[in-house]
Amino acid sequence: MTRNKSIAVLALTGTALFMIVLDNLIVASALPSIERSLHTSIGNAQWVLDAYILTFAVLILTGAAFGERFGRRRVFVIGLLIFTAASAAGALAGNLGLLVAARTVQGVGSAILMPLTLTILASAFPPERRSAALGIWSAIAGIGVAAGPLAGGAITSALSWHWIFWINVPVGAVAALLSPRLFEETRGRREPIDLGGLALASAGLLGIVWATVRGNHVGWLSGSTLLAYGIGAALLVAFVALESRRDHAMLPLKFFRESSFTVSNASGFVLHFAMFGAFLMIIQFLAIVRGESPVMTGVWTLPWTVMPLILSPLGGRLGERLGPALPAAVGLGLVAAGAFEIAALVHPSTTPLALVPGMVSLGVGVALVLPNIAALAIGAVESQDIGKASGTLSTARQLGSVFGAAVAVAIFQAGGRVGSLTAATAGMSHALVVAGVAALSGGLLLLGIVPGVARVLAGWRGAESALAERS
């Protein structure tokens, strides 16, 4: 593939990625307006957000599997058409039921697109240029997450909530027209779809994600929450048992024998757990405690959101030189440091300017981690299995986002029940500490597979075994 065509592939996959990640949170700022327009309660309107999250998180593995079997370009275009049509339906929805249905279908399109953006991009670039491309891909994902609340608030204020859906329609239509011309058709291994695995994985993830997104509304220890967790966990155990016996598994368990694959997925989960939790708390602080408008909230978070855009390509190049594990470990350490610093600072009297150093640390950390965990996951498998690796990593990241947001909100609500700004900032601080601890744990996991550190650890284990034998 020529250099110009590779750049075009990066631009097109990046556009699709930005749309679907943006829609993760763009609705959050528009919920009050939707509530008033459709004459519903905020509790019911929350389903506009939750329906998208549910189908998105649950069906990523399915989208990846279909791309491997029927052709990545073909399934990518289908995903774009589904997402675009659902966006138009959401914009035209005249009642809450239709809007929730449209958002559910939108999530299906996103679940198809998310893993394929990474798979198609990785296939379009040779290994020596892949890390820089993954850096840009990662930067686009980070900006989409950060821009969601800002874009939702700004568009809703200037136009109406319908336009947060209309803006996807021309972009998605053009992307669907260009994809067959710019993408080469590629497939994974020629093997039948693992229908049993798809059914068990999807149903198990549905139970886990359902329980998590609804936990703060119905209670984490309520019967429905515990039942959903129990059923989901049991189905995922059954999925693992089934995959261990399959010759053509949708998720070959042999992938996890490679420590780099296992650690990259665990790190992707904890990064997004920490990132979403910290970002939501910073947004809450700026909006609730400091009273900033949606636009100014976005401006104050620029020190975080701009860093991945600028530095993710550099993070990818560092991974090429040093190996991806070390920059990713340092990055998670910086994410932890930023979360801890902001946790120590948040107070009703704290100015947004005081949070800038912590947000810079968070942004630089994310820029170092995102491209390198993708490189670790893809580099751990054969070229025919890139799609399966991409689907697994995308699922781990999305689950981290779901859990990170839910846990942060739960901690914030528990700490801020008194109703005072001091209590609210205390809850935010506690949630930020938890985000920092999660990031730090991921950094330590990554350090364990850095070649030099791994050799030292192996030496220690060998010495301990020798001492144990002598004793």
Side-chain angles (χ1 to χ4, degrees):
M1 185 176 289
T2 66
R3 186 179 182 87
N4 287 341
K5 199 162 186 180
S6 295
I7 292 172
V9 170
L10 175 59
L12 196 51
T13 54
T15 299
L17 176 67
F18 183 79
M19 279 198 310
I20 62 179
V21 174
L22 185 76
D23 272 53
N24 234 348
L25 290 175
I26 195 171
V27 169
S29 302
L31 282 181
S33 179
I34 291 172
E35 175 193 356
R36 292 191 297 271
S37 173
L38 299 182
H39 309 291
T40 187
S41 67
I42 192 64
N44 290 332
Q46 184 70 27
W47 274 108
V48 179
L49 186 62
D50 291 346
Y52 181 83
I53 293 171
L54 276 169
T55 49
F56 190 1
V58 166
L59 295 176
I60 289 174
L61 285 174
T62 303
F66 276 51
E68 295 303 280
R69 177 64 179 84
F70 298 111
R72 295 160 182 166
R73 182 183 67 187
R74 178 185 300 169
V75 176
F76 183 85
V77 172
I78 291 171
L80 279 171
L81 293 175
I82 291 172
F83 182 86
T84 303
S87 296
L92 293 169
N95 60 62
L96 184 64
L98 290 175
L99 181 55
V100 170
R103 284 285 284 174
T104 302
V105 178
Q106 224 187 4
V108 174
S110 295
I112 293 171
L113 289 170
M114 170 62 88
L116 291 176
T117 61
L118 180 54
T119 307
I120 292 170
L121 181 65
S123 300
F125 283 82
E128 64 272 14
R129 290 170 48 210
R130 189 176 291 160
S131 294
L134 290 176
I136 297 172
W137 179 88
S138 303
I140 293 168
I143 293 170
V145 170
L150 170 63
I155 293 170
T156 302
S157 299
L159 299 167
S160 74
W161 64 264
H162 302 82
W163 283 93
I164 66 178
F165 301 112
W166 279 128
I167 59 173
N168 293 326
V169 175
V171 178
V174 170
L177 288 172
L178 291 177
S179 295
R181 301 180 182 183
L182 296 177
F183 294 168
E184 295 177 2
E185 184 61 283
T186 59
R187 287 178 172 84
R189 297 182 184 276
R190 297 280 185 172
E191 56 189 28
I193 291 182
D194 179 8
L195 294 176
L198 283 178
L200 286 172
S202 300
L205 288 171
L206 177 61
I208 298 296
V209 177
W210 173 281
T212 304
V213 299
R214 303 303 294 166
N216 285 312
H217 303 290
V218 301
W220 289 95
L221 297 178
S222 68
S224 60
T225 300
L226 295 177
L227 180 62
Y229 272 131
I231 293 173
L235 290 171
L236 290 179
V237 169
F239 167 71
V240 171
L242 178 68
E243 297 300 276
S244 68
R245 300 192 301 269
R246 293 272 185 172
D247 293 329
H248 305 297
M250 65 174 291
L251 178 54
L253 299 184
K254 66 180 181 180
F255 287 0
F256 294 98
R257 295 175 196 154
E258 290 290 334
S259 58
S260 56
F261 184 81
T262 302
V263 171
S264 65
N265 280 277
S267 300
F269 178 90
V270 297
L271 171 68
H272 283 72
F273 180 100
M275 189 167 67
F276 267 70
F279 191 74
L280 280 177
M281 291 303 99
I282 292 170
I283 293 292
Q284 292 293 314
F285 173 78
L286 293 170
I288 295 175
V289 179
R290 299 301 304 181
E292 302 287 346
S293 67
V295 173
M296 284 309 299
T297 295
V299 170
W300 280 117
T301 56
L302 282 175
W304 176 342
T305 57
V306 167
M307 289 296 110
L309 176 63
I310 298 172
L311 297 178
S312 283
L314 175 61
R317 293 191 186 99
L318 282 174
E320 288 178 349
R321 290 174 178 267
L322 306 174
L326 181 58
V330 172
L332 275 169
L334 289 172
V335 170
F340 290 145
E341 180 177 354
I342 295 173
L345 288 174
V346 288
H347 185 270
S349 62
T350 304
T351 65
L353 187 62
L355 305 187
V356 167
M359 286 194 283
V360 169
S361 180
L362 283 160
V364 173
V366 170
L368 290 174
V369 181
L370 280 176
N372 286 303
I373 59 173
L376 274 173
I378 289 172
V381 302
E382 298 177 20
S383 59
Q384 303 99 314
D385 293 320
I386 285 177
K388 293 179 179 179
S390 169
T392 306
L393 179 62
S394 297
T395 300
R397 290 172 48 177
Q398 187 65 15
L399 288 175
S401 303
V402 170
F403 276 91
V407 170
V409 170
I411 295 171
F412 167 64
Q413 289 177 341
R417 283 178 181 163
V418 177
S420 69
L421 292 181
T422 301
T425 53
M428 294 170 192
S429 178
H430 296 154
L432 284 160
V433 168
V434 171
V437 170
L440 191 59
S441 68
L444 293 174
L445 279 175
L446 282 160
L447 272 180
I449 63 169
V450 174
V453 178
R455 283 194 295 271
V456 171
L457 291 174
W460 284 349
R461 285 193 291 266
E464 288 175 354
S465 297
L467 287 172
E469 288 176 4
R470 289 176 188 172
S471 61

